[in-house]
Amino acid sequence: GCEAIGHALRTCRALRVLRMNTCQLTDGGTDDKGIRQLAFSIREPLCLLAELEARDNDIDEAACKFIADALLEGDGLRCLDLRDNPIDDGVGGTALAAAVEQSEQMVALNGIDINGTRANLACSQADGWQPFEVTFLCRRLQKCSTLRYLNLDSNDLGPVHLEALAIGLDSAEHIRVVSLRDNKLQGTFVDDTGIDRGCYDGRGVKRLAKHLAQRRGMRSLDLRGSHIDDRAGKDGLAQAIYEGSHALECLDWIDLREGPGVEDESIVRPASPGVILDAKGLDMCTSAFLARGLRAQPELVAVEAPGNGVCVPWSCDCLAEALRTPKCQLIRLVLNKTILRVEGAVPLFEALKKCCPPLEVLELSHACLCDSWVGYNRERSLDAIRECASALTAVKCNLKQLILDFNNLQDDGLSIISTAMERNSSLETLGLRSNALSEGTDLARMLRANRGLTSLDLSRNKFTQKGPEALVEVANALVKNRSLKTLDLTGSGVDSASGPRLALLEPAAVALAYCLDENPVLKQVRL
């Protein structure tokens, strides 16, 4: 059959497209005579075939070499598809890579078709890329000068592929948007059960960092779901993003572009100019990019980045440096569920004392400010709270809302915050939910002295664990307070008490009822 088709190809002057997918051209990989006949016909000058598909035919390395040699001699084929065949980087794959490198006519290979302004190759090679496919892709990127958008999402790209792609992008500065979501760019990935798999390899990320440090073509880069943790730290990709000469305006979910920009439906647009809204958290690269934007774009006034990312100290240093920059106009920063710990929180609180205009809203719930970890030291863990207290008493402090929920402050941390609040008049909302608080003395002293706080959240704490005394002290202090309007004590034990415990906590309930009667400003106490 292949002999007859080969003869027809050499004589027929009309055939342009030939598809022979799953046709047993090699008889299960045991006979390559059919492939030889096809290759012999392709190299003939009289053959005008432009597109050839031979998927799932057990074409091995040796048979592939015949096709590669034919491409070198007869450069008429424009589209070739050999997917689902056992071709890797052996003699056949290497020869095919050399052929597509030299070919002037080839525009599509194994479904990789780059033409026009957009190349959407998402999931096109989900089973993995072969070296010759990467070679072809990079060559097409350089030659297709109209290309602006390149989507390689979910293609099982690894470190070797990213390295080759970054080298290709060096000569393709006309490309503006690159999306590499859901790949294995560092060799590691998370399987369906949530377990880390693979072997770490940073060569591709290092080469991408070099590209961003030196080139200015790319405007948007999306690396979400590619498990880049940048273990090289400040000497790797994050530093290139923070200090490089690139012209990036969008990284992952952070979009700093003005107006419509380059059309990209996969990027979450800001709700309004100068506001970033997302639920993915900050990792090292995105925090470095955000800090770069804060230094240069005064219209960026609010950032909301709650998530589950780990913001390492170097990233926080970048954000702190950006907050101190004269051009920075940030007034709202939300980093809930972003793991800062002491090392990351201290520089941020230090920057609050010097930033101009001063920050008005800071939310750091679930930030692990005082949480335990390996080598935990309670005294050291309170350094972040001391810096927070120092920021609250600074002359430039204009903070109106501070949320420190779920940070394990405990009573010693509360004492530090309360002392600072006695001298603070700008803060209106303070959130201390679920911080293992049980003492009321420091809170009572703060409420007697403070004249600015209007809302206080003390829910999910342990004020009734030892008896009613803590809440009684708080209630007695509220009788004299004339600023607080809302107090939240939900989950503190008063609402769920019954039997003997209800009788034990009765003094607290009576004291709270009395302060509501005597205090005309206090409008609501939630139990």
Side-chain angles (χ1 to χ4, degrees):
C2 286
E3 288 184 4
I5 291 175
H7 177 73
L9 287 175
R10 293 191 295 273
T11 57
C12 179
R13 305 286 294 176
L15 190 64
R16 296 292 184 271
V17 180
L18 178 61
R19 296 187 175 95
M20 295 188 295
N21 300 322
T22 319
C23 289
Q24 299 186 28
L25 297 183
T26 62
D27 195 13
T30 61
D31 188 355
D32 57 11
K33 292 180 181 178
I35 299 299
R36 289 190 185 189
Q37 289 292 331
L38 286 177
F40 180 73
S41 302
I42 291 173
R43 75 171 55 142
E44 287 294 320
L46 295 178
C47 178
L48 300 180
L49 190 67
E51 299 182 24
L52 173 63
E53 287 187 16
R55 301 179 61 175
D56 190 21
N57 280 292
D58 294 311
I59 299 174
D60 58 14
E61 298 283 348
C64 179
K65 191 174 187 307
F66 292 127
I67 297 177
D69 293 340
L71 291 176
L72 289 173
E73 294 187 27
D75 196 16
L77 207 61
R78 294 177 57 82
C79 303
L80 176 64
D81 196 343
L82 298 176
R83 281 178 286 183
D84 306 318
N85 288 295
I87 305 171
D88 197 355
D89 56 352
V91 292
T94 303
L96 192 56
V100 298
E101 177 71 24
Q102 298 180 32
S103 175
E104 296 295 333
Q105 300 294 328
M106 187 81 69
V107 296
L109 175 67
N110 285 12
I112 305 171
D113 188 359
I114 297 179
N115 198 10
T117 60
R118 297 174 65 87
N120 191 346
L121 302 177
C123 301
S124 65
Q125 315 294 116
D127 294 330
W129 284 64
Q130 303 302 333
F132 63 86
E133 294 172 337
V134 178
T135 300
F136 174 76
L137 172 66
C138 294
R139 179 172 175 79
R140 289 299 300 162
L141 293 182
Q142 298 169 13
K143 296 187 68 174
C144 189
S145 59
T146 60
L147 185 65
R148 296 293 181 268
Y149 176 88
L150 176 63
N151 185 348
L152 293 171
D153 297 345
S154 305
N155 270 287
D156 202 27
L157 292 173
V160 176
H161 307 125
L162 180 59
E163 183 181 29
L165 179 62
I167 294 174
L169 289 173
D170 285 347
S171 303
E173 294 194 53
H174 51 273
I175 299 177
R176 295 291 181 261
V177 179
V178 177
S179 183
L180 299 171
R181 297 178 63 174
D182 301 317
N183 287 291
K184 304 173 184 176
L185 303 182
Q186 279 189 326
T188 56
F189 62 98
V190 179
D191 63 13
D192 295 336
T193 62
I195 299 176
D196 291 338
R197 302 288 187 185
C199 182
Y200 176 81
D201 187 346
R203 75 178 90 171
V205 175
K206 289 181 180 178
R207 189 59 185 80
L208 179 61
K210 182 178 179 181
H211 172 81
L212 293 175
Q214 299 175 355
R215 307 290 176 171
R216 293 185 55 82
M218 199 183 304
R219 298 293 186 272
S220 174
L221 176 63
D222 197 341
L223 300 172
R224 283 176 287 181
S226 291
H227 310 290
I228 292 182
D229 57 11
D230 192 27
R231 297 185 188 183
K234 62 181 181 181
D235 298 324
L237 181 61
Q239 187 175 27
I241 290 172
Y242 185 59
E243 301 176 351
S245 61
H246 62 83
L248 279 179
E249 298 169 332
C250 177
L251 178 70
D252 292 357
W253 54 268
I254 302 179
D255 192 345
L256 301 178
R257 290 176 290 191
E258 297 180 8
V262 180
E263 182 184 357
D264 184 2
E265 65 280 359
S266 68
I267 294 175
V268 180
R269 291 287 175 181
S272 60
V275 180
I276 294 178
L277 299 172
D278 196 77
K280 298 299 181 183
L282 291 173
D283 57 22
M284 197 167 188
C285 293
T286 52
S287 58
F289 180 68
L290 176 60
R292 180 186 176 104
L294 290 173
R295 288 186 307 169
Q297 296 188 249
E299 66 273 9
L300 188 61
V301 296
V303 174
E304 297 191 19
N308 292 304
V310 178
C311 210
V312 298
W314 181 82
S315 302
C316 293
D317 289 339
C318 294
L319 287 174
E321 181 183 351
L323 289 174
R324 292 192 292 265
T325 304
K327 282 189 176 181
C328 178
Q329 302 291 308
L330 193 69
I331 60 174
R332 178 180 176 86
L333 179 61
V334 178
L335 297 178
N336 296 330
K337 294 185 179 180
T338 300
I339 301 175
L340 300 176
R341 295 202 173 100
V342 177
E343 295 80 1
V346 167
L348 287 179
F349 286 129
E350 289 177 345
L352 288 182
K353 296 183 285 187
K354 301 177 182 179
C355 64
C356 185
L359 205 66
E360 294 183 2
V361 177
L362 179 63
E363 297 189 16
L364 298 176
S365 67
H366 291 91
C368 296
L369 299 184
C370 298
D371 276 6
S372 58
W373 64 92
V374 176
Y376 171 73
N377 180 281
R378 181 62 187 175
E379 190 62 26
R380 166 64 177 148
S381 71
L382 290 174
D383 287 348
I385 305 304
R386 293 190 185 96
E387 282 299 330
C388 177
S390 178
L392 288 173
T393 56
V395 176
K396 285 188 175 181
C397 180
N398 194 39
L399 208 61
K400 291 180 171 54
Q401 179 175 321
L402 176 63
I403 306 298
L404 298 176
D405 301 342
F406 300 93
N407 277 298
N408 195 33
L409 298 186
Q410 300 181 26
D411 291 324
D412 47 0
L414 174 62
S415 177
I416 297 172
I417 294 293
S418 298
T419 302
M421 288 298 297
E422 292 179 33
R423 294 184 287 162
N424 179 281
S425 59
S426 65
L427 199 66
E428 298 174 356
T429 302
L430 177 61
L432 298 175
R433 181 177 185 177
S434 191
N435 274 295
L437 308 179
S438 61
E439 298 292 338
T441 305
D442 295 316
L443 272 174
R445 189 180 70 250
M446 177 193 76
L447 291 172
R448 289 190 185 97
N450 185 272
R451 295 292 181 267
L453 202 62
T454 60
S455 177
L456 178 61
D457 186 354
L458 299 174
S459 59
R460 307 296 175 188
N461 282 293
K462 305 175 181 179
F463 290 113
T464 60
Q465 189 176 45
K466 300 176 182 179
E469 291 79 9
L471 289 183
V472 170
E473 288 188 78
V474 171
N476 291 337
L478 285 173
V479 174
K480 300 293 184 181
N481 185 284
R482 289 298 181 267
S483 63
L484 198 68
K485 298 178 181 179
T486 302
L487 175 64
D488 193 343
L489 293 171
T490 307
S492 295
V494 179
D495 57 332
S496 59
S498 61
R501 184 162 178 78
L502 179 61
L504 177 65
L505 296 179
E506 185 178 357
V510 171
L512 288 171
Y514 177 73
C515 81
L516 281 170
D517 289 338
E518 296 296 320
N519 190 334
V521 178
L522 188 62
K523 301 298 183 184
Q524 187 178 44
V525 176
R526 299 194 188 101
L527 298 176

